[in-house]
Amino acid sequence: MLKNLVWLGLITLCSSVFAQEPALIKKVDPDKQSILAMASSPDGKWLVTGGDDNQVIFRDADNGSSLFKLTGHTDWITAVEFSSFDDDMLKVFASGSRDGHVIIYDIEKRIIIYQNKSFEKTVNDIEIINSLNYLVAVSSDGQMSIVDLNSKQEVNKITVSSSPVLSVCAIPGTNTIATSDAEGKIRIWDALSGSMGQIIDAHDSYIRSIDFMNKTIISVGDDKSIKFWDAERGNSKSSIEKVHKKWIQLVESANDNQHYATGGHDGMVHFWELGKSEPIFSLKQNGTFVTGVSFSSDLKKIYTAGYGGDIHYYDISYLKLEPIKKYQASVAYSANKPSMANLSNESAKNEVVLVQPYIERGNTFYCLEEKIVIKGQLLSKSSIREFKIINKTTKEEDRLRVSDNQIFEHHLPLRFKDNEISIRFTTIDGEVANKTIIVHRIFDQNNPDDLVKLTRNGRDYALIIATNSYNAMNDLVNPVFDATTIAAELENNYNFNVEKIINPPLDEIKLKIKEYSKKLYADEDQLFIFIAGHGEYDELFKEGYVVASNTKEGDEARSTYLPHSTLRTYINNIPCQHIFLTMDVCFGGTFDPFIAKRGNEPSKEEQVKKMLFIKRKMSYKTRIYLTSGGKEYVPDGRPGHHSPFARQFITALRTYGGSDGILTYQDLMSSVEMVEPQPRGGEFGDNEPGSNFLFIYK
């Protein structure tokens, strides 16, 4: 018996000696700030806190020293959040407050880029959906606000619950978000459409925090339990009961898809492994209750904070946690850096895909500029070791770094006449992909024989959206017929690449516009967007709407409509230099919030004049629109005879621009101006004076 007790004592002693717990690195004085929210930056530089002093404090993530402060709120800070700092996103930081305001800061310039009193009551939580560049905020007045980080505009406002909405989390890689509220419900939403997918009766009362990990939604609240839910089906997976002595204030997942932490009103922080019912370790936090838990980007430290207490830094490097995605410094090739939806890195071969200069026939591009802008994407089966662009004629060679999405944009000087340019990359496996082009810089700018060879640096695209059939509205007879005829004219006679969408629901319209926002465009590409179908106008909201096939009747909140203000923002932010929107819908004129043809085969000089005209007009950014009416209903027309507006539009297209083969925006306006009701046209967004949109007869 004594021998067994001795062995038991030795085992206990060894366990206490060799068991590892987080080492407290330091306690940080919060500068008289009682902390209510905390977050760490994706690059590992900052730990940020907000509290009852109405300001945000940025601290050194290593030593805890106060670096700088951001102001703008008039009441306690209750929510803080960073964007992911990915290459194709803005580097932003956002905060929410008891004052009902959401503020978004450009973190590099440290300036406010968006501020809106989104709610009447406290902002309880903020989440950034990285795949959409959307910010979602929820509040105690039961509302959810969705803000587009690109346009800095609120794109949706949704009533979620009659009780306070306490938390929101995003499902990575999707458009899906989840909210929790004081009624104990989790609601699943599509962030693009604002539609709700399902409701989960998760807890009996307050769900104070939710997070997502490994296809699982984790929820905590006043019943002191942790519950786990299948994010796709909504059914319960498991639960851990009574893990804190008082209610649980927050749950925070580590970026490894395996571990998470909970913080409670008992002042305790527990660290868990998913699927296990006992915590790996527990930490006592001073202060009234735990208000912040965050992890360093490399998962070597955990930060904890309590209301009225210090910030604690703990070393957890001994756990050897591996982040799913390590932060990488941004590599800038292009100001826009769109993620190309039409190109894929899942290539069967190594290849250079060139978007600009646009070489349609042969391999020679003719220009007047002293520098050429080269745009494209590298497709590779493995990592790229070296990337070069070489002008073999001038012997100029540039080594470039490769961004995460392998999109590049580079300015290369040219000598007069022929320049042989090689775009080449080598993979870590030693495989080489190469694309060679010839760019000819014209020497004599007064010689018609040379100028007639000038190459237009772009293509023409058309997105045609037409709806005849509606779930809750009267069907129409001509939109699809009109759109199909216009599409055929553009494709057959003006060399447009045309895509048609017939009877689409709201989500499909938004996703298709988003897809065009992700394409990479040449400088002289043009995009024509045509929308035909029902339209509505709300006198109270002073807003016009495009009606989708699945728009609901009696939708007072207009959540199943596409607002003109949202459509303007979406289209303006498509990174194509030249965009022309035409809408044949009722009340189309409310899209604006302010509501001579030429005959014989052209000579060489006329051809040169035509190309120089095209080049001149293509140098200005274009954002113009044309609608079939103003603030009124417009007729659909007799079946099979086109609407009055579409009939005149098609008639204008069939002039084919007269002898010079160029149909301009002004030509179209002249053709449709006699239609009743009178069409409306103008500019929007970032349109530049002198711009135009050209239909060039092939």
Side-chain angles (χ1 to χ4, degrees):
M1 180 67 178
L2 180 60
K3 186 177 180 180
N4 290 339
L5 288 173
V6 170
W7 275 110
L8 181 60
L10 286 172
I11 291 169
T12 304
L13 177 62
C14 290
S15 297
S16 65
V17 170
F18 293 106
Q20 285 187 280
E21 293 289 332
L24 179 61
I25 303 171
K26 63 174 71 255
K27 292 184 179 180
V28 178
D29 185 342
D31 302 332
K32 299 180 180 179
Q33 178 188 65
S34 291
I35 295 170
L36 291 163
M38 184 166 70
S40 55
S41 64
D43 58 2
K45 291 168 56 178
W46 299 311
L47 180 67
V48 176
T49 60
D52 61 0
D53 58 352
N54 307 348
Q55 59 188 353
V56 173
I57 302 177
F58 277 65
R59 309 170 190 277
D60 189 294
D62 291 325
N63 61 38
S65 60
S66 178
L67 300 174
F68 60 91
K69 299 177 181 180
L70 298 178
T71 59
H73 289 288
T74 59
D75 209 332
W76 295 5
I77 310 294
T78 49
V80 292
E81 177 78 346
F82 283 95
S83 67
S84 69
F85 287 16
D86 287 343
D87 279 349
D88 56 353
M89 282 190 67
L90 297 168
K91 286 188 179 181
V92 301
F93 170 81
S95 58
S97 167
R98 282 205 317 189
D99 60 14
H101 283 258
V102 172
I103 299 180
I104 302 173
Y105 304 84
D106 182 317
I107 202 58
E108 293 179 320
K109 297 178 181 177
R110 300 181 191 175
I111 59 172
I112 294 175
I113 58 175
Y114 173 90
Q115 182 171 7
N116 185 27
K117 183 170 175 54
S118 302
F119 310 106
E120 294 302 318
K121 296 183 179 180
T122 301
V123 180
N124 289 319
D125 198 12
I126 292 173
E127 180 82 342
I128 291 179
I129 308 173
N130 296 310
S131 59
L132 298 177
N133 276 9
Y134 276 6
L135 177 146
V136 184
V138 295
S139 79
S140 289
D141 59 10
Q143 300 283 313
M144 175 168 62
S145 171
I146 301 176
V147 177
D148 188 319
L149 294 177
N150 291 320
S151 65
K152 290 95 174 168
Q153 291 191 18
E154 186 179 60
V155 295
N156 214 336
K157 185 76 169 288
I158 301 165
T159 299
V160 175
S161 172
S162 58
S163 68
V165 185
L166 302 172
S167 185
V168 60
C169 73
I171 312 301
T174 72
N175 303 329
T176 306
I177 53 177
T179 60
S180 72
D181 58 40
E183 296 178 342
K185 291 180 169 56
I186 295 174
R187 290 174 168 86
I188 311 296
W189 304 84
D190 181 280
L192 270 178
S193 65
S195 58
M196 184 172 62
Q198 59 181 310
I199 302 177
I200 305 170
D201 289 314
H203 295 246
D204 292 334
S205 61
Y206 282 65
I207 305 176
R208 296 191 179 269
S209 184
I210 56 174
D211 210 339
F212 176 85
M213 182 191 298
N214 200 14
K215 300 181 181 179
T216 301
I217 296 172
I218 307 172
S219 62
V220 299
D222 284 12
D223 60 6
K224 309 171 191 174
S225 65
I226 308 172
K227 296 192 177 183
F228 306 90
W229 309 91
D230 187 304
E232 295 179 352
R233 298 179 179 86
N235 58 297
S236 175
K237 299 177 78 170
S238 62
S239 66
I240 310 173
E241 302 297 328
K242 310 299 181 183
V243 297
H244 286 262
K245 293 181 179 178
K246 295 183 179 180
W247 69 75
I248 307 176
Q249 182 66 24
L250 59 88
V251 57
E252 181 74 18
S253 62
N255 187 30
D256 69 345
N257 246 349
Q258 296 181 40
H259 297 90
Y260 65 97
T262 57
H265 271 247
D266 56 1
M268 296 300 298
V269 173
H270 297 313
F271 182 76
W272 308 81
E273 183 177 354
L274 196 64
K276 301 292 179 64
S277 59
E278 294 293 332
I280 295 173
F281 61 76
S282 298
L283 305 169
K284 178 65 177 176
Q285 174 65 47
N286 64 348
T288 309
F289 59 96
V290 177
T291 54
V293 174
S294 190
F295 298 93
S296 62
S297 59
D298 58 8
L299 298 185
K300 292 182 179 180
K301 289 191 289 289
I302 184 172
Y303 312 104
T304 68
Y307 183 74
D310 296 329
I311 306 167
H312 291 181
Y313 283 44
Y314 291 95
D315 182 354
I316 58 171
S317 59
Y318 70 92
L319 292 172
K320 301 187 186 308
L321 305 181
E322 289 292 333
I324 296 171
K325 179 181 178 182
K326 293 182 179 179
Y327 170 79
Q328 295 180 345
S330 176
V331 180
Y333 284 110
S334 157
N336 289 321
K337 286 185 299 195
S339 176
M340 296 167 62
N342 56 330
L343 297 175
S344 170
N345 283 318
E346 302 299 322
S347 174
K349 60 181 180 178
N350 297 312
E351 184 182 2
V352 176
V353 178
L354 197 63
V355 174
Q356 180 174 302
Y358 174 59
I359 303 174
E360 188 173 13
R361 298 182 181 89
N363 65 344
T364 301
F365 180 85
Y366 291 85
C367 68
L368 296 170
E369 294 79 15
E370 61 183 25
K371 284 187 176 182
I372 187 75
V373 180
I374 302 173
K375 294 181 183 179
Q377 186 180 38
L378 311 180
L379 304 184
S380 62
K381 295 179 290 184
S382 57
S383 299
I384 295 172
R385 185 179 68 200
E386 184 181 64
F387 174 38
K388 295 180 180 179
I389 297 183
I390 307 163
N391 187 333
K392 293 183 176 180
T393 306
T394 64
K395 310 300 183 186
E396 180 160 345
E397 178 178 307
D398 291 317
R399 294 175 183 266
L400 304 177
R401 291 181 296 166
V402 180
S403 62
D404 288 343
N405 54 17
Q406 298 181 349
I407 292 173
F408 65 89
E409 177 177 322
H410 184 64
H411 296 246
L412 191 69
L414 302 173
R415 81 167 192 181
F416 284 114
K417 300 193 176 179
D418 285 346
N419 295 259
E420 183 181 352
I421 297 172
S422 172
I423 306 159
R424 185 172 68 205
F425 70 86
T426 306
T427 70
I428 58 173
D429 303 323
E431 297 184 26
V432 178
N434 185 69
K435 190 175 192 71
T436 299
I437 58 174
I438 303 297
V439 176
H440 184 98
R441 182 183 173 196
I442 295 172
F443 177 74
D444 187 356
Q445 299 188 18
N446 298 311
N447 184 352
D449 291 331
D450 284 343
L451 291 176
V452 76
K453 299 175 184 177
L454 269 174
T455 309
R456 178 188 161 195
N457 202 4
R459 287 151 288 190
D460 296 315
Y461 300 92
L463 173 60
I464 309 292
I465 302 171
T467 306
N468 277 5
S469 303
Y470 296 86
N471 296 345
M473 309 283 179
N474 294 328
D475 288 345
L476 299 174
V477 294
N478 278 324
V480 174
F481 177 49
D482 297 341
T484 301
T485 305
I486 290 171
E489 284 293 333
L490 295 176
E491 196 166 22
N492 297 331
N493 297 307
Y494 292 95
N495 210 30
F496 274 71
N497 296 300
V498 178
E499 181 175 12
K500 290 184 293 184
I501 307 176
I502 305 302
N503 300 323
L506 180 61
D507 281 5
E508 186 177 348
I509 297 173
K510 290 182 175 181
L511 287 170
K512 183 55 65 176
I513 295 173
K514 188 173 182 66
E515 180 183 317
Y516 275 76
S517 298
K518 292 181 177 180
K519 291 179 182 290
L520 188 62
Y521 297 90
D523 290 345
E524 294 180 4
D525 280 353
Q526 295 190 124
L527 174 61
F528 174 68
I529 301 175
F530 182 84
I531 301 174
H534 270 307
E536 291 280 357
Y537 181 77
D538 192 302
E539 193 67 51
L540 186 63
F541 287 171
K542 306 299 181 187
E543 176 73 277
Y545 299 88
V546 173
V547 179
S549 62
N550 65 335
T551 294
K552 296 178 181 178
E553 189 175 11
D555 179 8
E556 290 295 321
R558 303 291 185 179
S559 59
T560 57
Y561 293 73
L562 178 56
H564 287 173
S565 57
T566 301
L567 183 62
R568 279 198 306 273
T569 300
Y570 284 176
I571 293 176
N572 185 51
N573 285 299
I574 295 175
C576 180
Q577 278 289 97
H578 311 285
I579 301 177
F580 176 20
L581 169 67
T582 296
M583 295 197 296
D584 190 2
V585 298
C586 293
F587 307 101
T590 62
F591 179 82
D592 187 337
F594 310 104
I595 265 236
K597 297 292 177 269
R598 326 167 246 270
N600 304 332
E601 181 68 23
S603 66
K604 186 179 296 181
E605 287 74 16
E606 288 171 329
Q607 292 180 52
V608 170
K609 185 177 179 181
K610 172 182 176 179
M611 181 53 70
L612 292 177
F613 173 79
I614 292 171
K615 288 283 186 182
R616 186 170 67 251
K617 288 300 180 183
M618 291 291 181
S619 66
Y620 303 112
K621 189 171 186 177
T622 307
R623 294 291 187 272
I624 52 179
Y625 73 90
L626 177 61
T627 69
S628 57
K631 189 179 169 183
E632 65 258 299
Y633 290 97
V634 295
D636 182 28
R638 291 180 295 153
H641 287 78
H642 298 299
S643 74
F645 173 80
R647 185 177 184 83
Q648 286 303 113
F649 194 94
I650 294 165
T651 299
L653 289 177
R654 288 175 177 171
T655 66
Y656 308 123
S659 61
D660 66 2
I662 301 176
L663 180 70
T664 68
Y665 171 73
Q666 288 77 14
D667 295 335
L668 278 167
M669 286 292 291
S670 298
S671 181
V672 302
E673 65 181 358
M674 299 304 292
V675 175
E676 290 293 337
Q678 185 178 1
R680 298 287 193 272
E683 62 181 69
F684 68 97
D686 300 330
N687 188 67
E688 293 183 341
S691 68
N692 212 318
F693 194 94
L694 310 178
F695 296 84
I696 304 167
Y697 183 59
K698 67 178 183 180

